[in-house]
Amino acid sequence: MRKFIVTIEGKSYEVGVEEVGVSQNTAPAPAPVQAVQAAAPAASVPANGEKLLSPFPGLIKNFLVEEGTAVKKDQPVLVLEAMKMDNDITSPCDGKISFKTEVGKNVETNAVLAVIG
C-alpha cells in the first residue's frame, strides 16, 4: 500500500492506495481509499522572534545552518524543493535561528519553518 497526502479545499488528508494487478482484457479495478484526518498542527511558536514562513508548498531538503546559529538578514538558512527545483530560503532578519520543521518534511504555503530571535 502506498500512502499519499491529498489536500481538498485547504484540508489535508492522508490516504492509502493499494496497487492491484491488471490483466490485458479487463479494466483496472478502483483502488480502495481510506481518508484519515491530517496530523495536528505543529506546536505553537514562541511570541518573541520573527517567523520565517514557507513562500510556497515544498519539501524541506536541507538546513544550511545549525540550530541556534546566529544568522544575518537575507542569509540562506534552508533549501526548499518545489517542482524538482531547489530554492534557498533566507532569513528575514538578524538573530538566532530556531527551526520549527525537519529535513524531509513536506510543508504548505505559510507554514512556519523557523523563528529568528
Side-chain angles (χ1 to χ4, degrees), residues 26-49:
T26 63
V33 178
Q34 176 184 1
V36 177
Q37 188 67 22
S44 62
V45 177
N48 58 344

Side-chain angles (χ1 to χ4, degrees), residues 9 16 22 44-45 47 58 68 73 76 81 89 102 106 109 111 113 115:
E9 294 181 2
V22 178
S44 62
V45 177
K73 184 178 192 297
E81 179 185 292
I89 306 301
E102 55 194 42
N106 284 305
T109 302
L113 304 176
V115 174

Side-chain angles (χ1 to χ4, degrees), residues 24-105:
Q24 292 177 331
N25 298 331
T26 63
V33 178
Q34 176 184 1
V36 177
Q37 188 67 22
S44 62
V45 177
N48 58 344
E50 188 166 340
K51 296 175 188 175
L52 173 59
L53 303 179
S54 178
F56 42 78
L59 172 74
I60 304 298
K61 193 165 181 186
N62 190 20
F63 292 147
L64 300 175
V65 297
E66 291 188 27
E67 178 77 18
T69 300
V71 296
K72 297 285 186 188
K73 184 178 192 297
D74 298 326
Q75 176 182 347
V77 294
L78 65 89
V79 177
L80 181 63
E81 179 185 292
M83 298 176 58
K84 304 294 181 192
M85 292 181 58
D86 290 349
N87 301 278
D88 287 347
I89 306 301
T90 59
S91 174
C93 61
D94 293 353
K96 287 190 178 182
I97 192 162
S98 175
F99 290 106
K100 301 301 177 187
T101 189
E102 55 194 42
V103 173
K105 183 175 179 183

Side-chain angles (χ1 to χ4, degrees), residues 16-20 29-33:
V17 178
E18 184 176 338
E19 294 182 32
V20 294
V33 178

